[in-house]
Amino acid sequence: MVATPQSNGVSEVRFPHAPSSSADETPEQRNTRLATLLATPVRDGLSAEELMDPKVSGGLTYNDVLILPGHVDFPASQTSLESRITKRFTIKTPFLSSPMDTVTETQMAIGMALNGGLGVIHHNQPVEEQAEMVRKVKKFENGFITDPYCLGPGATVQDVYDVKDKLGFCGIPITEDGKLESKLVGIVTSRDIDFLQSADDRKRTLRDVMTTDLVTAPQGVSLSEANAILKASKKGKLPIINDEGCLTALLARSDLVKAREYPWASKMDVSKQLLVAAAISTHEEDKLRLKALVEAGLDIVVIDSSQGNSTYQIDMIRFVKRTYPHIDVIAGNVVTQEQTRRLIEAGADAIRVGMGSGSICITQEVMACGRPQGTAVFRVASYARQFGVPVIADGGIANVGHIVKALALGASAVMMGSLLAGTTESPGEYFYHEGQRLKKYRGMGSIDAMEKGDAAGKRYFSEGDKIKVAQGVAGAVVDKGNIKKYIGYLAAGVQHSLQDIGERSLDALRDGVTSGSVRFEKRTASAQLEGGVHGLHSFEKRLFQ
């Protein structure tokens, strides 16, 4: 209430210094007017469409815009970061790692998936190596292991050590003929062979050392029931057998522990294996690469091209959807609605947006072609939304604020290169320079990357050129620690940003932007300076602990 009635019938004025709208306005009229004002929501700032008017603003980057705060009536921990990244797949955090040879290989792909994101394994390497990386990610965590590695009772202890060296585990079921669907006779674990190190010990057959006192579960048992049996047994492995006692599957305690420690993990619904994506080019020989990746267990393929609106990519999309309909395709890169239209028409399940906006990319400088990333994401997402096709913002992400702006402008997820390149899980060794611990990071259009493999040339349509024209540079990034802690920091930052904006989920954020309830402001150059650290003699910038 603006005015409180008193016993003498005269209203008490809450805002005695409020100006009157006219000279003859009475106190009661003023109180009524002010009460109406306070009861009416105020819409400040600009809608996204007004902000992105090209006739007024031109092309905008993330630094050019701010999101205005909303009403906070919930804790940040209650915000949902779940987001759909392709037509079929939804993940718990909107983070993808870039298919670059200094960013995503096996360990990064595993780390991203465990922490609710998705890793895209690069293709600047032989087909066999890329397929093996995919295979390792898929084998890292399982529900029921439907194709467990088996040995026969006549195999030796040395055979178990060989499996451990090659595949990283030594919990192996022993069947009569050493194959799945054969009668289970025992199991060998690290406890059985830990002290069998001599040459003679390693020649012993497994029938002499295997454990035969087994706890098993019948075929047809549900995953939750099998997990309960495994927990109660305190064993490391739970074989699943049919009525004839033949092995049909296996369950591992290590997978239970991973599920407990990583509740946000990106997994397949049935197999409970981690999600993994990998990149290919648009060239004919990459159809063979794709075949090997699919056989290794690939879930999502990223067609990697600096300019996605090409006959080559459209043909590749159609080939993938025709040959492997269970594989989702992320197509790109694009920055315009016409590019997007062509790829969606071809069958793309998601669109990757960005051309020349990455920290190590010089495409806009060298080729005079591209688009400011904020405008590109907004325009492409506005078009793709009509078809229910998600958009992934690729490039230009330097901090948590950029992530939130990309998501607000319509992206379902962000793809990161430099932000993740300094983590423990990224490829390469750390080195020190002027007291800082660094890792090498390079663009796939750099001469450095072109000299390593042909993926860089294929991505930029230049593999046959006698003179290589670089569209990227090589550099170094600061150590960021392990991926679990760093992704946790990014996720917490996005959650707190959603809280400030007043939206409980990423879907609600995008809906608010579309309806105009989430408002924006354009930043001048001086406003950008004001929004950063300024006016200090010196400072230490610690982003998380």
Side-chain angles (χ1 to χ4, degrees):
M1 293 295 294
V2 176
T4 304
Q6 296 185 350
S7 57
N8 59 8
V10 179
S11 296
E12 179 187 358
V13 179
R14 282 182 58 193
F15 303 102
H17 304 293
S20 298
S21 62
S22 63
D24 57 352
E25 184 181 45
T26 67
E28 289 76 12
Q29 289 174 328
R30 181 175 63 175
N31 290 345
T32 300
R33 177 173 56 83
L34 294 178
T36 302
L37 273 177
L38 288 179
T40 305
V42 179
R43 179 164 283 192
D44 202 352
L46 302 170
S47 68
E49 193 64 52
E50 292 167 337
L51 175 75
M52 289 294 175
D53 185 344
K55 295 179 181 178
V56 176
S57 300
L60 301 180
T61 68
Y62 298 136
N63 283 340
D64 292 324
V65 304
L66 274 181
I67 306 169
L68 299 186
H71 176 62
V72 178
D73 60 354
F74 56 90
S77 59
Q78 287 185 6
T79 57
S80 170
L81 301 186
E82 189 170 282
S83 195
R84 190 163 54 87
I85 55 168
T86 69
K87 290 178 182 176
R88 291 193 303 129
F89 289 106
T90 298
I91 57 179
K92 297 294 185 182
T93 59
F95 307 136
L96 281 71
S97 63
S98 183
M100 304 170 71
D101 59 9
T102 51
V103 178
T104 310
E105 292 186 348
T106 304
Q107 293 307 311
M108 179 64 76
I110 290 173
M112 290 298 293
L114 285 175
N115 290 282
L118 179 71
V120 185
I121 297 172
H122 74 87
H123 62 114
N124 200 28
Q125 59 183 321
V127 176
E128 298 77 16
E129 292 181 13
Q130 190 184 21
E132 183 59 23
M133 290 179 186
V134 169
R135 192 173 291 109
K136 287 179 179 179
V137 177
K138 298 304 290 186
K139 294 289 186 183
F140 184 81
E141 183 173 353
N142 301 271
F144 288 118
I145 305 172
T146 56
D147 58 344
Y149 193 95
C150 302
L151 289 173
T156 65
V157 172
Q158 182 60 52
D159 292 328
V160 178
Y161 278 112
D162 290 342
V163 172
K164 185 177 181 180
D165 291 340
K166 182 180 179 180
L167 302 178
F169 61 85
C170 59
I172 303 171
I174 311 301
T175 62
E176 283 186 343
D177 64 2
K179 297 179 181 178
L180 190 65
E181 305 290 348
S182 176
K183 188 175 181 63
L184 180 69
V185 294
I187 193 166
V188 170
T189 68
S190 58
R191 294 178 183 179
D192 298 314
I193 64 169
D194 270 349
F195 300 106
L196 303 179
Q197 300 289 341
S198 69
D200 289 338
D201 284 337
R202 292 189 176 219
K203 293 177 182 177
R204 295 177 62 181
T205 60
L206 299 185
R207 66 169 51 90
D208 297 329
V209 300
M210 66 183 181
T211 298
T212 56
D213 180 19
L214 303 178
V215 176
T216 62
Q219 186 174 10
V221 67
S222 70
L223 182 59
S224 59
E225 291 171 338
N227 283 337
I229 295 171
L230 185 57
K231 290 176 184 177
S233 72
K234 299 182 180 180
K235 300 286 187 179
K237 300 286 190 293
L238 179 69
I240 311 299
I241 59 174
N242 62 20
D243 293 339
E244 288 75 40
C246 296
L247 180 71
T248 61
L250 190 69
L251 194 66
R253 175 175 290 274
S254 60
D255 291 326
L256 281 178
V257 174
K258 293 168 189 171
R260 181 189 66 202
E261 293 182 351
Y262 298 94
W264 282 8
S266 304
K267 302 178 185 179
M268 294 295 289
D269 291 336
V270 177
S271 69
K272 302 303 178 183
Q273 291 180 319
L274 297 179
L275 285 182
V276 63
I280 62 171
S281 80
T282 58
H283 288 62
E284 190 68 24
E285 61 267 27
D286 273 56
K287 293 177 180 178
L288 296 177
R289 178 182 291 270
L290 178 61
K291 182 175 185 292
L293 295 174
V294 172
E295 290 174 351
L298 186 70
D299 302 305
I300 299 171
V301 64
V302 174
I303 301 181
D304 193 29
S305 176
S306 64
Q307 213 283 51
N309 183 21
S310 69
T311 299
Y312 318 112
Q313 177 148 170
I314 290 170
D315 289 345
M316 183 63 79
I317 294 170
R318 289 172 175 161
F319 169 79
V320 176
K321 300 310 294 183
R322 182 176 64 250
T323 312
Y324 308 104
H326 64 289
I327 300 294
D328 275 12
V329 178
I330 298 176
N333 283 28
V334 301
V335 292
T336 72
Q337 293 184 345
E338 173 59 16
Q339 289 177 300
T340 306
R341 181 190 68 80
R342 288 180 177 273
L343 299 189
I344 292 176
E345 183 184 31
D349 298 297
I351 300 295
R352 187 175 165 203
V353 182
M355 190 172 182
S357 56
S359 63
I360 40 66
C361 189
I362 55 174
T363 296
Q364 293 182 13
E365 174 186 335
V366 174
M367 302 300 167
C369 198
R371 196 175 201 178
Q373 187 69 346
T375 298
V377 170
F378 179 73
R379 291 300 171 201
V380 170
S382 297
Y383 183 82
R385 186 185 302 112
Q386 301 173 89
F387 305 92
V389 175
V391 162
I392 296 165
D394 175 26
I397 303 293
N399 51 53
V400 174
H402 289 170
I403 294 174
V404 177
K405 292 173 187 178
L407 297 171
L409 291 173
S412 290
V414 296
M415 181 172 279
M416 299 173 288
S418 62
L419 272 192
L420 303 176
T423 59
T424 307
E425 288 77 5
S426 64
E429 300 296 326
Y430 286 108
F431 64 95
Y432 285 89
H433 178 70
E434 295 181 352
Q436 284 194 304
R437 194 169 188 246
L438 309 171
K439 259 192 181 182
K440 189 172 185 179
Y441 175 55
R442 65 187 179 199
M444 295 307 292
S446 66
I447 298 297
D448 204 26
M450 292 180 187
E451 289 174 345
K452 180 189 175 184
D454 63 356
K458 288 179 178 179
R459 186 176 198 275
Y460 294 90
F461 306 110
S462 62
E463 70 278 9
D465 295 352
K466 292 182 179 180
I467 299 176
K468 302 295 184 185
V469 179
Q471 294 190 48
V473 300
V477 291
V478 177
D479 172 23
K480 295 184 178 71
N482 68 71
I483 198 70
K484 181 177 182 180
K485 192 170 184 180
Y486 193 66
I487 290 294
Y489 153 69
L490 296 179
V494 175
Q495 286 182 310
H496 280 278
S497 181
L498 286 177
Q499 183 188 39
D500 283 346
I501 298 168
E503 301 293 350
R504 293 175 178 265
S505 68
L506 294 180
D507 286 339
L509 172 65
R510 286 186 284 267
D511 289 344
V513 172
T514 302
S515 69
S517 62
V518 173
R519 311 295 286 180
F520 295 83
E521 195 95 292
K522 184 180 176 183
R523 302 168 83 191
T524 63
S526 57
Q528 293 179 38
L529 288 174
E530 179 187 68
V533 180
H534 61 279
L536 300 180
H537 172 268
S538 60
F539 67 94
E540 179 185 12
K541 192 171 185 178
R542 298 175 62 190
L543 295 178
F544 64 97
Q545 183 174 0

